[in-house]
Amino acid sequence: MASIKEKLTSIEQIPSFVYLCKWLVIAALIGALAGSASAALLYSLEWATNYREANKWIIALLPIGGLIVGLVYHYYGSSVVKGNNQLLEEFHSPHKIIPFRMAPLVLFGTVMTHLFGGSAGREGSAVQMGGAIADQFTKWFKLKKEDRKIVIIIGVSAGFASVFGTPLAGAIFALEVMILGRMRYDALLASVLGGIIADYVCKLWPVHHTHYGVELVPEITPTTLFYAIIAGLIFGLGGLAFSKATHFFTIVFKKLNYPPLRPFIGGAVVALAVYLIGTTKYIGLGVPTIVDAFNMELPWYDFAAKLLFTAFTLGAGFKGGEVTPLFYIGATLGNALIWFVPLPTELLAGMGFVAVFAAATNTPIACTIMAIELFGGEGAVYFGVACVVAYMFSGHSGIYSSQIVGSPKH
Amino acid sequence: MASIKEKLTSIEQIPSFVYLCKWLVIAALIGALAGSASAALLYSLEWATNYREANKWIIALLPIGGLIVGLVYHYYGSSVVKGNNQLLEEFHSPHKIIPFRMAPLVLFGTVMTHLFGGSAGREGSAVQMGGAIADQFTKWFKLKKEDRKIVIIIGVSAGFASVFGTPLAGAIFALEVMILGRMRYDALLASVLGGIIADYVCKLWPVHHTHYGVELVPEITPTTLFYAIIAGLIFGLGGLAFSKATHFFTIVFKKLNYPPLRPFIGGAVVALAVYLIGTTKYIGLGVPTIVDAFNMELPWYDFAAKLLFTAFTLGAGFKGGEVTPLFYIGATLGNALIWFVPLPTELLAGMGFVAVFAAATNTPIACTIMAIELFGGEGAVYFGVACVVAYMFSGHSGIYSSQIVGSPKH
């Protein structure tokens, strides 16, 4: 009998099948929970955004909101304050299980940030909720070190995929973000399953994702390729500028020794700035302006204003993430390029949307796939060129300081 | 002055810009030549296929055609006979420049194979022409070892992208095929540029790529996801069976000590088999049957017949490559699954088309992108699941024996 067993286990497909079943179950559990958490986040953010826009006086309370977030994180959240970087660090050098409190705290912090008018994103929250939920399974299922890495990947994939409605981009993002310039496929299947299931479950809840359309795509010629490269280069510098600005404001605010004071003072400055310039278009997620960037001419400086508002808000210790602001910065920067890049506005906005994000996070393939999932496959080559060139020009340090360099860019 | 220079070179964007300009020029040159070579291949194959189908008696001469190919490779081609594996080996352990003769010889061998009715593909030829052309630049431009790796990548990308009309898939294929389970981004930009330019140049010539459409795509639900996984698993076993069969027939034919005899005898067997079964649908590229697989019910055994014909033809030493037959095997296998997998025929055919190929070459991400480029983005999640699951189940040895395992699949 032993020989039959030996023969069976020597067939590679048996362990593959065991692997598939095991990770299908785990990905389904994590996906269902992380997808529901993303739905709760999207729903809360929609409420917070609508409330703020209907009651703009609440922005005056941003310092108070910041103080509350700061105090909560200072007294209850010191073990989870590193956020996305903490997930990357635990992936590279496992230390201790991500505390579950990361999930409710980041949800609370993000909703507060958006309710009172900080400028921030949401993927950071979704990814942190996904990662924190996922890592609990390490404990419950008593998983080994190598399996825990896969669990963290599933959590990141599930959070990202469900918050943006892009299952494949979420799966590749989770693999690509861990190591700059290299992708390992150990967790590919688990990551894809986690992304798809989380996206499916999130859509069962009454939430909706914004739809964008890029239909006007010219044929690729040497001229359009040249301009796509130029645009990609500018998007890369845009992503680099965002990373540098975020690091800069983080360091500036670190000079305040008592952390809860940082979002208090930061919030006061942001609220004052909103009052002085008289518009709320640079705070919150900024989705209406992102949609506009595909359809109409916008002031050229929109991208710079959003960049400053977001880097300042996040540097001060508010919560939410960088990705939706990066979409905003990219789409409006693309919109501004119409003055000297002869490509359709919607295409430039779409290219910028993903390429600035690719540059700041060093995830060019996930971003190309995201563009296809969000805008359709027509412009795939333009999106690919923009993301890859932008990746090339954003330097070796993106917004995640815990990302490891696997292979240099040049 | 030195300090200004130092300051400038300390800005990472300067080397990035130099890198971009350098590889844009090299990729344009390689892309233009490899794209034109692919056009010549496509044009010749169209001619050879049409001539054979109009003059079926020529199949009786397949042993003679085989003998000629065998003799030519034996006396003039011993330095290039390893084909695709040679490109992989030179990438991993640089030894000597790929002789330029690889390009004309593989073009000649492929056209002979198709004219007389062997069952084979064309991507092997395109990739070998691309690689051989590209590597000449190593000599002409006196490139360093690290740069030579990028040159080989560009050649593979350019050949693959232009022969199938899929620029991004070509670029990712070139990066993904080199190491199983890992992708490095050093050559990402160069690979993307090579693929796009080669595809553009190829389309300037009067050739055309076949169009396939997958428009009927159901929503992802737990049920459809389950069936997509089952289908992917079967496609993975299909890819594995093809790899095993090709290795098997190669070993069988190696028992004939005088190499030119192998395609002579192999050709006689194939010609006799065609005569006995009375159809030419299993020889050549088989594009009409691939198109049919998307639209109508086919005999369930088509995939098995094509698998045997191709593994036998290539094992005997004919030239051409494996990919179009893998498309055929996958699309007809997908077609056969309609009996127990409740997904639309065109979707199953499209999933099989890319997934069997992904399984046999271990390139799941390139194949997912290829599906999007060929069939549109609607079914992206289904294609992704099929390719990734198929990759999982095809074992660790694909059709390229020189592929290195970078990270295990489970």
Side-chain angles (χ1 to χ4, degrees), chain A residues 216-225 343 347 378 381-382, chain B residues 200 203:
Chain A
L216 209 62
V217 179
E219 290 271 309
I220 280 279
T221 65
T223 316
T224 58
L225 178 61
L343 292 173
L347 180 60
E378 274 297 298
V381 170
Y382 288 97
Chain B
Y200 168 75
K203 282 178 180 150

Side-chain angles (χ1 to χ4, degrees), chain A residues 263-351:
Chain A
F264 176 74
I265 292 174
V269 174
V270 169
L272 187 66
V274 171
Y275 178 74
L276 289 176
I277 61 176
T279 172
T280 58
K281 76 183 279 197
Y282 303 120
I283 59 172
L285 289 168
V287 173
T289 308
I290 301 180
V291 174
D292 286 347
F294 286 78
N295 302 317
M296 60 176 75
E297 204 178 292
L298 294 176
W300 67 268
Y301 49 78
D302 271 3
F303 80 93
K306 183 69 178 172
L307 192 155
L308 284 176
F309 265 93
T310 310
F312 193 86
T313 300
L314 294 176
F318 283 94
K319 298 292 157 187
E322 298 86 352
V323 175
T324 310
L326 284 167
F327 293 163
Y328 183 122
I329 294 166
T332 52
L333 180 54
N335 187 284
L337 294 186
I338 48 171
W339 294 104
F340 59 95
V341 175
L343 292 173
T345 310
E346 61 188 68
L347 180 60
L348 279 172
M351 287 161 69

Side-chain angles (χ1 to χ4, degrees), chain A residues 36-340:
Chain A
S36 302
S38 288
L41 172 70
L42 289 171
Y43 190 81
S44 313
L45 288 187
E46 200 176 318
W47 169 81
T49 305
N50 290 341
Y51 188 89
R52 185 191 70 230
E53 289 302 308
N55 305 275
K56 296 215 169 97
W57 54 265
I58 203 174
I59 301 170
L61 304 181
L62 184 58
I64 309 298
L67 186 64
I68 296 172
V69 173
L71 288 169
V72 167
Y73 264 88
H74 189 61
Y75 291 105
Y76 300 100
S78 57
S79 61
V80 295
V81 75
K82 286 207 253 168
N84 287 10
N85 280 320
Q86 196 163 344
L87 293 172
L88 266 69
E89 283 167 24
E90 284 295 331
F91 178 85
H92 291 303
S93 39
H95 176 62
K96 65 190 264 286
I97 303 285
I98 311 275
F100 177 71
R101 65 173 63 180
M102 178 184 264
L105 281 180
V106 79
L107 178 62
F108 169 77
T110 305
V111 174
M112 292 290 280
T113 300
H114 284 276
L115 177 64
F116 292 103
S119 171
R122 52 193 166 183
E123 101 302 334
S125 329
V127 163
Q128 287 172 43
M129 289 194 294
I133 290 168
D135 211 11
Q136 307 312 307
F137 287 87
T138 305
K139 208 163 51 188
W140 299 334
F141 287 15
K142 297 192 174 53
L143 297 175
K144 283 175 299 185
K145 199 174 123 187
E146 281 310 301
D147 283 353
R148 185 176 172 224
K149 287 192 173 196
I150 300 180
V151 158
I152 293 177
I153 294 268
I154 295 177
V156 173
S157 165
F160 190 99
S162 54
V163 81
F164 294 124
T166 55
L168 294 182
I172 303 297
F173 176 81
L175 298 174
E176 209 173 21
V177 75
M178 294 295 167
I179 308 180
L180 190 158
R182 189 180 295 186
M183 199 187 327
R184 283 177 65 107
Y185 286 21
D186 327 40
L188 181 61
L189 178 64
S191 188
V192 167
L193 293 175
I196 293 172
I197 293 167
D199 177 49
Y200 168 75
V201 171
C202 182
K203 283 179 179 149
L204 292 180
W205 297 93
V207 297
H208 76 282
H209 300 289
T210 313
H211 287 279
Y212 309 90
V214 176
E215 270 144 43
L216 209 62
V217 179
E219 290 271 309
I220 280 279
T221 65
T223 316
T224 58
L225 178 61
F226 171 77
Y227 280 114
I229 292 173
I230 298 295
L233 198 158
I234 295 169
F235 294 139
L237 298 179
L240 176 69
F242 181 82
S243 305
K244 295 276 182 209
T246 310
H247 290 309
F248 173 77
F249 285 119
T250 306
I251 291 167
V252 168
F253 276 104
K254 282 253 164 85
K255 290 184 179 154
L256 289 168
N257 274 330
Y258 185 62
L261 266 187
R262 297 171 195 161
F264 176 74
I265 292 174
V269 174
V270 169
L272 187 66
V274 171
Y275 178 74
L276 289 176
I277 61 176
T279 172
T280 58
K281 76 183 279 197
Y282 303 120
I283 59 172
L285 289 168
V287 173
T289 308
I290 301 180
V291 174
D292 286 347
F294 286 78
N295 302 317
M296 60 176 75
E297 204 178 292
L298 294 176
W300 67 268
Y301 49 78
D302 271 3
F303 80 93
K306 183 69 178 172
L307 192 155
L308 284 176
F309 265 93
T310 310
F312 193 86
T313 300
L314 294 176
F318 283 94
K319 298 292 157 187
E322 298 86 352
V323 175
T324 310
L326 284 167
F327 293 163
Y328 183 122
I329 294 166
T332 52
L333 180 54
N335 187 284
L337 294 186
I338 48 171
W339 294 104
F340 59 95

Side-chain angles (χ1 to χ4, degrees), chain B residues 339-365:
Chain B
W339 294 104
F340 59 94
V341 175
L343 292 173
T345 310
E346 60 188 70
L347 180 60
L348 279 171
M351 288 161 69
F353 184 112
V354 287
V356 172
F357 167 38
T361 57
N362 296 310
T363 56
I365 295 179

Side-chain angles (χ1 to χ4, degrees), chain A residues 12-13 176 183 185 396, chain B residues 12-13 176 183 185 393 396:
Chain A
E12 279 194 84
Q13 279 59 45
E176 209 173 21
M183 199 187 327
Y185 286 21
H396 285 86
Chain B
E12 280 194 82
Q13 279 59 45
E176 207 172 23
M183 198 187 327
Y185 286 20
F393 279 89
H396 285 86

Side-chain angles (χ1 to χ4, degrees), chain A residues 12-20 24 167-168 172 175-176 180-186 188-190 192-193 196-197 200 220-222 225-226 229 233 237 240 362-366 368-369 372-373 376-377 380-381 384-385 388-389 391-397 406-410, chain B residues 12-20 24 167-168 172 175-176 180-186 188-190 192-193 196-197 200 220-222 225-226 229 233 237 240 362-366 368-369 372-373 376-377 380-381 384-385 388-389 391-397 406-410:
Chain A
E12 279 194 84
Q13 279 59 45
I14 308 286
S16 291
F17 191 74
V18 173
Y19 180 100
L20 171 66
L24 184 57
L168 294 182
I172 303 297
L175 298 174
E176 209 173 21
L180 190 158
R182 189 180 295 186
M183 199 187 327
R184 283 177 65 107
Y185 286 21
D186 327 40
L188 181 61
L189 178 64
V192 167
L193 293 175
I196 293 172
I197 293 167
Y200 168 75
I220 280 279
T221 65
L225 178 61
F226 171 77
I229 292 173
L233 198 158
L237 298 179
L240 176 69
N362 296 308
T363 57
I365 295 179
T368 303
I369 292 175
I372 292 169
E373 292 191 313
V381 170
V385 169
V388 170
V389 174
Y391 162 79
M392 198 69 209
F393 279 89
S394 67
H396 285 86
S397 54
S407 72
K409 295 184 179 182
H410 49 79
Chain B
E12 280 194 82
Q13 279 59 45
I14 308 286
S16 291
F17 192 73
V18 172
Y19 180 101
L20 171 65
L24 184 56
L168 294 183
I172 303 297
L175 297 175
E176 207 172 23
L180 190 157
R182 191 180 293 186
M183 198 187 327
R184 282 177 64 106
Y185 286 20
D186 326 42
L188 180 61
L189 178 64
V192 167
L193 293 175
I196 293 172
I197 293 167
Y200 168 75
I220 281 279
T221 65
L225 177 62
F226 171 77
I229 292 173
L233 198 158
L237 299 178
L240 175 70
N362 296 310
T363 56
I365 295 179
T368 303
I369 292 176
I372 292 168
E373 292 191 311
V381 169
V385 169
V388 170
V389 175
Y391 162 79
M392 198 70 209
F393 279 89
S394 67
H396 285 86
S397 54
S407 73
K409 294 184 178 181
H410 48 79

